[in-house]
Amino acid sequence: MKQLVINGGNKLTGEIKISGAKNSVVALIPAAILSDEEVTLYNVPDISDTRALIDIIELLNGKVEYKDEVMKIDNKELENKVIPEELSKKLRASYYFMGALLAKYKYAEIYFPGGCNIGARPIDFHIKGFEKLGAKVEIEGNKYIFKADKLKGAKIYLDFASVGATINIMLAAVKAEGVTEISNAAKEPEIVNIATLLNNMGAKISGAGTSEIKIIGVDHLGKGVIDVIPDRIEAGTYAIAGALMGKDLVLKGIIEEHLEALISKLKEMGIDLNIDHNKIKITRPEKLKSINVKTLVFPGFPTDLGQPMTVLLTQADGVSIFEETIWENRMGHIKYLQKMGANIRLNDKTAIVMGPTDLKGEEVVATDLRAGAAMVVAGLSASGTTIINDIEHILRGYENIVEKLTAVGADIKIIEK
Ligand code: EPZ
């Protein structure tokens, strides 16, 4: 069993290069199988979710070359196969093979996806979208079966601007006959990244990044090339670490517009931020002001940064209120923050944080990926030693986290217990 051990209290100084976005690459890799030729992805983060998707492509007889952040996926010998439970369960995003295989072969068999336990996580919007395009969906035990004689463009309204459903429907619709219109589509930057790759392969998608996406079906998708966008959640996590412990901590390779909600909240707390092109420099001020934060769909405050943000709120002067609105179960980290000394009252999906309180190192658990990120950030700012269990969640989403933080002065290591 692996544990992360952090001796907290060190100032963070120097530069961290932000990796490619997990939530983009996990859709770009399945999207690549829609090409009949070769697709090249640049800036691919080496995280366990990437490795799990490579296993699925290889199961489908695709050829993957992955070195120095460049991934080439060759689909010339691709075959449609059942995606078994041991692969589908490794991550949530295995569900993007539903849309991709359905578009390519009009047939897909895939076991239920896995992922963080942060709520019920239904995929009814995805399924309704596939059905609107003409697919029949069956559930056999723990397996979905999707089939269609042909897929036909349709008008699809999403009850909620779901990231996964928007991408999956886009994947299923790129080769459908006629025009598909997705209304109330999600607007996250990752969606634009996926649409850009698909267009580069020959798809006709417009409106990605707005709530109305139009897809004109095409017969063939060919070669494609894309840069994975920088991971705004990784950047945000390290920005929060910088707000707690930074002394001229520089994050390199960010896109400012993707971080606007976080930047505006950090400024409201009185944090000294210096943004220049794709770099952001952060130093912890003497005092942090308390604020209120509510998670929303993009461009609102991202749910994936809510957990690390609550750690920062424990150091603010006064009462801060944090409200999660996307997931039902994203407060798994709170009891461990309380164990470390935080004064937090939890009321369903709202955390009332009284600060500032000193945090002390403790043995804690990464209950999910971003809860784990919160524990890392807490451990960096706590006095003494923090030991984090279940760190495989963290390694699913943060590339070289130990190396990156060590390089800026943190005392952090992985041990085998
Ligand atoms: C993506 O999940 C991200 N995951 C999540 O990041 C992120 O928290 C989420 O978007 C919101 O930004 C990936 O990109 C792999 P949704 P996704 O569909 O697509 C409900 C992380 O920490 N819903 O936008 O699964 C759902 O239950 C992860 O990196 C339905 O009811 O999220 C939730 O309440 C965790 N029916 C809300 O919509 C559906 O069919 C938003 O979900 C689909 C979703």
Side-chain angles (χ1 to χ4, degrees):
M1 191 182 73
K2 284 186 172 137
Q3 292 178 319
L4 255 178
V5 179
I6 304 173
N7 289 310
N10 290 7
K11 285 270 171 259
L12 303 177
T13 303
E15 207 168 80
I16 296 180
K17 183 184 165 291
I18 300 306
S19 298
K22 167 182 97 74
N23 287 347
S24 249
V25 83
V26 296
L28 290 168
I29 295 173
I33 70 160
L34 282 164
S35 164
D36 300 321
E37 298 165 42
E38 190 178 85
V39 174
T40 307
L41 313 178
Y42 292 98
N43 198 30
V44 176
D46 194 356
I47 48 180
S48 52
D49 273 11
T50 304
R51 296 284 167 181
L53 290 166
I54 294 176
D55 289 345
I56 298 182
I57 301 271
E58 288 180 341
L59 166 94
L60 300 173
N61 219 22
K63 303 272 167 297
V64 182
E65 250 179 59
Y66 179 35
K67 214 175 129 209
D68 299 335
E69 300 181 349
V70 181
M71 185 181 291
K72 288 187 194 298
I73 301 173
D74 180 346
N75 295 312
K76 290 188 203 84
E77 287 167 28
L78 206 78
E79 285 173 49
N80 195 6
K81 294 192 188 160
V82 181
I83 300 182
E85 188 156 25
E86 66 267 22
L87 293 182
S88 69
K89 274 269 184 249
K90 279 194 180 163
L91 76 172
R92 189 81 194 150
S94 54
Y95 62 24
Y96 290 130
F97 283 99
M98 296 173 180
L101 290 173
L102 189 57
K104 187 151 182 143
Y105 299 106
K106 314 283 175 289
Y107 188 88
E109 274 189 49
I110 173 163
Y111 278 80
F112 289 179
C116 289
N117 181 17
I118 52 177
R121 308 198 82 174
I123 59 163
D124 51 325
F125 305 153
H126 306 230
I127 290 183
K128 277 188 216 155
F130 298 152
E131 285 173 338
K132 280 255 173 158
L133 295 171
K136 295 243 174 323
V137 183
E138 289 167 23
I139 296 180
E140 206 177 77
N142 287 344
K143 184 175 68 174
Y144 287 103
I145 304 173
F146 303 91
K147 41 184 137 169
D149 294 332
K150 68 172 176 189
L151 294 171
K152 247 183 123 205
K155 281 185 190 292
I156 298 168
Y157 170 80
L158 296 178
D159 292 336
F160 182 85
S162 152
V163 174
T166 302
I167 294 176
N168 231 343
I169 293 168
M170 226 162 57
L171 294 173
V174 275
K175 295 183 81 180
E177 208 177 283
V179 178
T180 299
E181 283 168 344
I182 310 175
S183 298
N184 196 28
K187 297 184 277 196
E188 273 67 2
E190 290 75 18
I191 289 159
V192 181
N193 207 197
I194 316 309
T196 308
L197 171 66
L198 291 169
N199 282 343
N200 190 273
M201 284 157 51
K204 291 192 175 156
I205 302 173
S206 55
T210 76
S211 54
E212 300 289 326
I213 298 180
K214 183 171 168 187
I215 303 149
I216 302 173
V218 296
D219 289 335
H220 166 79
L221 294 168
K223 266 190 181 349
V225 180
I226 193 83
D227 273 318
V228 181
I229 54 168
D231 195 313
R232 62 197 169 96
I233 308 302
E234 186 201 24
T237 304
Y238 292 139
I240 290 169
L244 284 161
M245 299 307 292
K247 190 164 182 299
D248 294 335
L249 178 70
V250 175
L251 310 179
K252 194 172 108 185
I254 60 142
I255 296 179
E256 186 182 349
E257 303 85 76
H258 294 176
L259 288 167
E260 256 166 19
L262 174 70
I263 288 170
S264 102
K265 284 291 159 190
L266 295 180
K267 285 186 175 160
E268 200 181 324
M269 293 183 83
I271 291 150
D272 183 14
L273 294 171
N274 193 321
I275 304 168
D276 182 20
H277 297 298
N278 64 350
K279 283 189 182 176
I280 183 165
K281 196 198 282 181
I282 306 162
T283 295
R284 178 184 174 134
E286 224 152 76
K287 242 182 170 191
L288 292 163
K289 291 188 205 130
S290 57
I291 55 162
N292 295 337
V293 182
K294 184 174 178 169
T295 62
L296 290 168
V297 296
F298 190 83
F301 191 92
T303 168
D304 296 344
L305 285 176
Q307 289 156 304
M309 192 66 181
T310 51
V311 181
L312 184 58
L313 299 182
T314 67
Q315 302 309 306
D317 202 12
V319 178
S320 298
I321 298 175
F322 169 73
E323 195 187 339
E324 165 63 28
T325 71
I326 312 286
W327 299 111
E328 307 92 75
N329 187 15
R330 245 197 163 159
M331 295 290 188
H333 63 304
I334 296 288
K335 76 170 181 200
Y336 295 106
L337 281 181
Q338 288 165 333
K339 187 176 176 191
M340 293 175 80
N343 185 356
I344 303 177
R345 213 165 65 226
L346 190 57
N347 186 359
D348 191 21
K349 291 186 286 176
T350 302
I352 300 158
V353 187
M354 273 82 60
T357 46
D358 289 337
L359 298 180
K360 292 183 308 300
E362 285 286 353
E363 183 157 350
V364 296
V365 178
T367 53
D368 59 73
L369 167 59
R370 307 302 171 187
M375 289 300 112
V376 171
V377 168
L380 292 172
S381 63
S383 58
T385 305
T386 298
I387 298 172
I388 309 177
N389 292 300
D390 290 358
I391 62 166
E392 58 290 350
H393 287 299
I394 304 174
L395 304 179
R396 281 190 33 230
Y398 289 85
E399 185 180 41
N400 297 336
I401 187 164
V402 169
E403 292 80 357
K404 286 187 181 190
L405 286 169
T406 304
V408 294
D411 181 349
I412 176 170
K413 60 178 183 252
I414 293 181
I415 60 162
E416 198 77 45
K417 198 185 166 193

